[in-house]
Each structure stands twice: as C-alpha cells, then as structure tokens.
Amino acid sequence: MGLGFTIHTKIKDIEKFQQTVESQAVESGYNAEHDESSSTVSFCRLGDLFLNYQHEGEGNTDNVISVNGDCQTNMLGPGFHKAAIEFIDRLQQATRTRFEVEDETDYYTERDFEAMKKKHFHKWLAKLFEIIQEQKDKGSTSLLFCWDINKYYPQSDNGIVISPLGSFCLSEVVRRIREEGIESFADDFFIWNNSERDARFHRGMALNAMWEDCYFMPSERSEEDARINGYIISELETTASLDPSLPFPKKEYEELCRCFLRTFFLENFFCGVFALYIPDTLL
C-alpha cells in the first residue's frame, strides 16, 4: 500500500538522456547517479526517482530504448510528490520527449496540491493506522512500517509502531487522529507535508538521520561519522533559522556539536525556550 507515480517513454541515446537528467538534477539542487541500465535522482533522504533503461527486442533497427520510471512518495509526503512531478515536467521539456505518466494522486493532471494532500496522503495515513490497529488487535507485537531489514532492529514495546520516521505510540496516534483529525498528525508524520522545503522539512531530515544513521560518536572516528554529524547539525541550524518556534532537540544538537568539535551556533536561539523534541505521539 503506497502512493506515487510511474513514467514511461522511449529514447534513442541513453548517454545523452542521462546527461540531461544530470543537468536538470544539478540545476534543481538534487543528486543523480547513473550506470548503463539505470539512473537514480535523489531529492533528499527517503526521496528517490528511479529510471530504468531497456533496449527493445530483436529487429529493433532504430535502437529504441524504453525508459521506465518509478517514484514512491508516501514516505515523505505530498511536498515530495509535487517536487518529483515538477522535475518530470522539466525533464520532458529539456529532452523534448513526451512521457506517459500514471499518477495515483491525479496531481500530474489536476495540479491541485491541497486536494492531493487531503484526498490522497491524509486518507492514506488514516488508512495506514487503521491497518496497524487491526494487526495489533490480532495479537501482532511486531508493528513495523517500511523498515529496512538491512538496518538495525530497534527495541520496542507492545503497541509501538516502528517506521523510518520514528517510533509512535499507536494508542496515542489513534486518540489524536480521533480528537484532532488526521491533518494534525500529518504535520508530524510527513517530513515533506507542505509544498516547500520549510522548517518542518529540515527538522524532519535531521530527525530521520538521527533515528536511522547517527551513532553520536566523535567525527574523528570515521568519515561516515563526520558526514552524518555535520549533516544533522546543518539541518537543525537551518530549522532554527527558519522557524525558532518549532520544538527542537536541543540535547541531541549539543551532543552532536561536541562530537563534531564545534561551538553551539544556536546558543542564542535557546535561551531556555527549547526542550527535547518529543511529540506527544512519539514515545
């Protein structure tokens, strides 16, 4: 169960097409990687567009190559869906190639962001927790949602939902959705819930990196420690500069600064108003 879109088109030159994908990605602030049979455009953590190339069958004298793309957007939210569709728009224009796009949310044809958010992403989120509640009622104690089995396995108690976005107390989520509506919880659940990469987006990027990849070890231990520590610090500082009123993981930020051997850039922001970020749905 998910949301996203697929694309299909035909080209004659993979290398030329990949060069255009690369240039459009760089121009948009994204990252692209390629091999002989595929390209991946990374918009941010958890946000990828996959393109696969396949030469058509025997007798293909025109050297026609099928391009098939897939992008799952429900992990990040409607903002990512919008950004990915807009990237497809630019890619079509730059390659002068028409794509067949099948969009489960109809955003590709309707371009109504608020309708897409409410009719599809919020509805999907509500249904997700209905399914998880049903699993719990049947006695399941392993409530995992899209968790990568190649990563560590977080310890959890009965009634705790593990996802790439954090761990959630199921009963509290259900209560909040019932009393406040799905819109309230969507702001905490979807990292890219709004159309722009706002303060909530950058905070979500930092929290996801802390949850999945950070060891809170000195940066001098390895290049990977240095990279992830620096990334989280940068995202948190961007968050505070965009919206100082958002709940902020002050303790973790300070610990990472010590690991990174740098001063607390945000010390003047704190002034006792920030506390450890623990949403009321997060255990």
Side-chain angles (χ1 to χ4, degrees):
M1 184 182 72
L3 293 171
F5 63 87
T6 61
I7 66 170
H8 174 73
T9 191
K10 295 183 178 182
I11 61 174
K12 292 188 176 182
D13 188 328
I14 292 178
E15 183 177 355
K16 184 177 180 181
F17 184 81
Q18 287 181 331
Q19 289 174 350
T20 306
V21 171
E22 180 74 30
S23 64
Q24 290 301 308
V26 171
E27 183 178 318
S28 303
Y30 308 139
N31 180 64
E33 296 183 354
H34 317 274
D35 59 31
E36 293 181 354
S37 62
S38 67
S39 295
T40 300
V41 180
S42 296
F43 293 72
C44 58
R45 294 178 63 87
L46 306 177
D48 296 313
L49 166 66
F50 300 101
L51 302 169
N52 294 294
Y53 312 113
Q54 184 175 10
H55 290 269
E56 298 203 342
E58 295 181 4
N60 178 18
T61 57
D62 293 331
N63 194 34
V64 176
I65 300 153
S66 292
V67 180
N68 294 293
D70 177 73
C71 187
Q72 290 297 116
T73 57
N74 50 282
M75 284 304 303
L76 277 175
F80 171 47
H81 195 99
K82 175 177 179 288
I85 288 292
E86 290 174 348
F87 180 81
I88 293 301
D89 290 340
R90 294 192 293 272
L91 190 58
Q92 288 187 91
Q93 184 175 9
T95 59
R96 297 182 180 179
T97 303
R98 182 175 177 79
F99 294 178
E100 297 175 14
V101 180
E102 294 187 9
D103 184 353
E104 296 173 74
T105 73
D106 298 322
Y107 180 75
Y108 182 74
T109 54
E110 297 182 3
R111 303 302 169 112
D112 188 331
F113 180 76
E114 291 301 320
M116 173 183 67
K117 179 191 289 190
K118 294 177 182 178
K119 293 180 182 179
H120 296 279
F121 281 87
H122 290 179
K123 184 177 180 180
W124 172 85
L125 182 59
K127 183 62 177 178
L128 168 67
F129 277 92
E130 285 181 15
I131 293 173
I132 294 174
Q133 180 69 67
E134 290 173 0
Q135 292 177 346
K136 181 178 181 298
D137 292 342
K138 292 178 181 179
S140 175
T141 58
S142 180
L143 303 176
L144 300 178
F145 165 63
C146 292
W147 185 255
D148 187 346
I149 61 174
N150 295 315
K151 293 185 179 292
Y152 75 99
Y153 191 93
Q155 289 185 335
S156 64
D157 296 322
N158 188 26
I160 301 301
V161 182
I162 301 296
S163 84
L165 309 175
S167 59
F168 297 89
C169 177
L170 179 58
S171 61
E172 179 59 23
V173 170
V174 172
R175 180 204 62 78
R176 182 174 176 184
I177 292 174
R178 182 176 61 251
E179 295 180 0
E180 302 177 19
I182 194 64
E183 296 81 8
S184 173
F185 181 60
D187 257 343
D188 283 336
F189 184 86
F190 291 121
I191 291 176
W192 201 341
N193 192 43
N194 299 317
S195 60
E196 305 300 328
R197 292 204 244 188
D198 55 11
R200 287 184 177 274
F201 167 86
H202 290 284
R203 185 185 65 177
M205 288 287 106
L207 293 173
N208 173 253
M210 278 194 276
W211 174 242
E212 288 197 335
D213 297 329
C214 185
Y215 290 91
F216 289 90
M217 296 297 291
S219 295
E220 61 186 14
R221 186 180 75 154
S222 69
E223 291 184 2
E224 180 61 20
D225 284 303
R227 185 194 67 80
I228 197 66
N229 292 348
Y231 173 81
I232 296 170
I233 289 170
S234 176
E235 290 296 291
L236 289 177
E237 290 177 351
T238 299
T239 299
S241 66
L242 290 174
D243 187 354
S245 69
L246 280 181
F248 189 93
K250 177 182 177 182
K251 178 181 177 182
E252 286 80 0
Y253 169 75
E254 292 179 343
E255 179 62 25
L256 285 170
C257 284
R258 283 189 284 268
C259 289
F260 206 63
L261 299 179
R262 58 158 293 173
T263 57
F264 305 151
F265 176 77
L266 296 179
E267 186 173 2
N268 291 333
F269 281 91
F270 293 145
C271 300
V273 299
F274 285 137
L276 173 62
Y277 175 62
I278 305 180
D280 52 9
T281 53
L282 189 62
L283 194 67

